Amino acid sequence: MKPKPIYVELPIHTDMESLWEATQRPDHHEKWDLRFSSITYLPKKEGNPQRFSYQTKIGFGLRIKGWGESVGSYQAKDDARTSSLHFGTDQKISLIREGRGYWKYKPESDNTVTFLTQYNYETRFGKLGSLFDILLFRPLIGWATALSFDVVKRWLEKGEQPWAQYTRFFTHWITTILFAFVWIYHGLVPKIINQHPAELSMLQKVAPVDTQTAIILVIIIGVLEVLFGVGWLFYRRKRQLYRLQFIAFPLLTVGAIFAAPEQLTTPFNALTFNVALLVLTWVGWMASRGVPTAKNCKRKQGD
């Protein structure tokens, strides 16, 4: 199956020169583009394309180093501009071997510039590399491109620095994944799978029911907690979930202390655990406003 080129389009409320500088100057470009850690222009010879080198950190101390060249840019009669790129890397660990693409800048009537890109590339590692690219890498790099476009849009429209946006973005998603794990684990392991005696004991102190009924209630509570945890992964309006936690954690803390006050002397008890989660809820709440997202971009040409 032949892979489709990556296409991303986003209108940005700014003037042409500001967008051109933010995307063409390497010291600006590397600030907002998630795909690159650094971009360096090489000395330009008259009549030759502008060559540059780039690096991308992939974790564990590894970096992909590549080359590129701007093979042409022009300004059309309608003031639209295009910048064409040829890029690649000789490093054998890189999935991308070589590619080509372009950026286009289309001025609109309301002081808006439509910023779009389309690019494609050849891969290494034969059929296995092609399969990995289609199933995982290409969707991931397309998402990174779209997210980066939204970051540069917010930078130019609202003046918010890219590093601050990415700090908020990763804080938001780290807390999201953490809360999903906490709720799913605490619903699944001690309640649904094991029906831990401590869970049964605390429930029976709050609601005087027999053991069999307590087991059923604990399982029901566990299912609700698992569903709430899954909601953290898929429900888009995360700030509503934060509001619920602002209510839930104090209530859970009071309930746990009322049911088993002796646990206050144990390590990692309900008081310290829930207070920590409440503070993290506040951190996540603060980070969840105006998070950049790839969903704001158009991903198919002609949509």
Side-chain angles (χ1 to χ4, degrees):
M1 184 172 63
K2 187 177 181 180
K4 295 181 179 180
I6 293 170
Y7 181 87
V8 177
E9 178 181 326
L10 186 65
I12 301 178
H13 190 68
T14 187
D15 61 273
M16 177 69 76
E17 294 305 324
S18 296
L19 179 58
W20 184 263
E21 183 174 358
T23 55
Q24 294 294 323
R25 276 184 52 177
D27 57 329
H28 285 354
H29 182 189
E30 66 187 24
K31 290 180 180 179
W32 59 266
D33 200 329
L34 193 60
R35 297 168 298 174
F36 305 104
S37 303
S38 66
I39 303 170
T40 304
Y41 273 13
L42 303 176
K44 187 178 185 300
K45 297 181 180 180
E46 187 175 353
N48 292 334
Q50 174 64 65
R51 292 186 60 83
F52 60 89
S53 63
Y54 68 85
Q55 293 188 35
T56 301
K57 297 178 182 178
I58 59 176
F60 306 103
L62 298 176
R63 297 175 181 231
I64 299 296
K65 297 180 181 180
W67 53 265
E69 58 182 22
S70 177
V71 296
S73 63
Y74 64 87
Q75 185 166 331
K77 293 181 179 179
D78 60 354
D79 291 329
R81 301 183 187 183
T82 301
S83 177
S84 301
L85 296 175
H86 179 201
F87 58 91
T89 176
D90 299 324
Q91 280 189 275
K92 301 302 182 182
I93 61 172
S94 172
L95 179 66
I96 295 178
R97 182 194 303 275
E98 188 174 346
R100 286 178 169 82
Y102 65 86
W103 283 354
K104 191 167 185 178
Y105 309 72
K106 297 167 55 179
E108 309 295 345
S109 58
D110 56 347
N111 196 33
T112 298
V113 180
T114 297
F115 182 39
L116 63 91
T117 186
Q118 180 170 288
Y119 61 95
N120 209 344
Y121 52 82
E122 301 172 3
T123 59
R124 289 186 170 86
F125 314 121
K127 293 183 179 180
L128 185 61
S130 297
L131 182 62
F132 178 78
D133 176 59
I134 292 172
L135 294 179
L136 183 62
F137 185 78
R138 188 170 293 259
L140 182 61
I141 199 170
W143 166 84
T145 304
L147 177 64
S148 300
F149 270 40
D150 197 45
V151 168
V152 74
K153 173 185 174 73
R154 292 168 185 265
W155 183 24
L156 294 175
E157 291 184 350
K158 301 180 180 180
E160 186 177 9
Q161 291 295 319
W163 68 264
Q165 295 186 58
Y166 281 122
T167 298
R168 191 167 64 250
F169 174 84
F170 287 109
T171 299
H172 168 70
W173 281 106
I174 288 171
T175 54
T176 292
I177 294 170
L178 171 67
F179 287 132
F181 170 75
V182 168
W183 286 106
I184 292 173
Y185 183 90
H186 282 272
L188 188 64
V189 177
K191 294 182 177 67
I192 296 176
I193 296 177
N194 290 325
Q195 295 96 51
H196 195 278
E199 296 282 355
L200 299 173
S201 175
M202 285 192 293
L203 178 62
Q204 287 179 305
K205 288 182 179 180
V206 175
V209 294
D210 59 75
T211 301
Q212 190 59 40
T213 303
I215 290 174
I216 295 173
L217 291 175
V218 163
I219 292 175
I220 292 173
I221 294 171
V223 170
L224 294 175
E225 289 184 353
V226 169
L227 292 176
F228 190 71
V230 172
W232 272 105
L233 297 176
F234 298 104
Y235 188 58
R236 291 186 178 182
R237 302 177 69 178
K238 297 289 193 297
R239 291 178 70 81
Q240 291 187 353
L241 302 181
Y242 282 118
R243 291 189 184 99
L244 291 175
Q245 289 193 169
F246 278 128
I247 299 171
F249 287 135
L251 291 178
L252 289 172
T253 303
V254 172
I257 294 174
F258 174 77
E262 67 277 3
Q263 70 165 307
L264 291 176
T265 60
T266 62
F268 300 103
N269 56 69
L271 177 62
T272 57
F273 179 70
N274 287 332
V275 167
L277 291 178
L278 189 60
V279 172
L280 284 173
T281 298
W282 178 80
V283 171
W285 166 269
M286 296 297 291
S288 65
R289 187 186 299 275
V291 177
T293 174
K295 295 178 182 178
N296 289 333
C297 297
K298 183 161 69 171
R299 301 294 302 277
K300 292 182 180 179
Q301 194 170 10
D303 283 357

